[in-house]
Amino acid sequence: MAIDELPAGYHGVHPAHPKAGWERLDWRERHPRAIRIRVLEHTCECQDIVYELCQAGGLLFVRRHYRAADGAVVTESEWLRAVPARRLWTNILLGHVR
């Protein structure tokens, strides 16, 4: 679907609310490991927390932007191979991991 075909008022993907028994992810301080990072997917910008599925150097990771009153805090997940990283991304979107 092209961007001009999106329904009016479309924001973007919103992660589901945390499910019962959700798992806490070990978010890490962001350290520059690559010169170029490609954002493959992201959640809606209208939320206080925005997640990005990123790729760099053959690995994938999730970047989390938490917008607080005193500024944004950016953290990252562990850098993973494609399959585990995609599984992590799906679990974040489904509310199983935060």
Side-chain angles (χ1 to χ4, degrees):
M1 176 180 288
I3 195 149
D4 58 348
E5 297 174 2
L6 294 173
Y10 177 79
H11 288 272
V13 175
H14 287 195
H17 293 288
K19 305 291 184 213
W22 62 276
E23 180 184 341
R24 181 175 300 277
L25 188 62
D26 179 27
W27 294 102
R28 301 155 183 219
E29 188 176 326
R30 184 172 76 168
H31 293 287
R33 289 180 53 177
I35 296 171
R36 293 187 198 126
I37 296 174
R38 174 179 287 167
V39 176
L40 303 174
E41 298 181 39
H42 61 86
T43 61
C44 189
E45 293 282 334
C46 76
Q47 303 287 307
D48 288 337
I49 299 176
V50 176
Y51 297 97
E52 297 174 333
L53 177 62
C54 302
Q55 179 179 16
L59 297 173
L60 280 72
F61 62 97
V62 177
R63 185 183 290 158
R64 180 179 69 168
H65 299 262
Y66 175 70
R67 297 179 188 152
D70 58 345
V73 176
V74 181
T75 52
E76 296 177 348
S77 72
E78 174 182 9
W79 289 42
L80 304 164
R81 293 183 184 187
V83 172
R86 288 279 182 182
R87 188 176 309 120
L88 172 62
W89 178 250
T90 300
N91 282 321
I92 288 171
L93 294 180
L94 294 176
H96 299 298
V97 175
R98 284 289 190 269

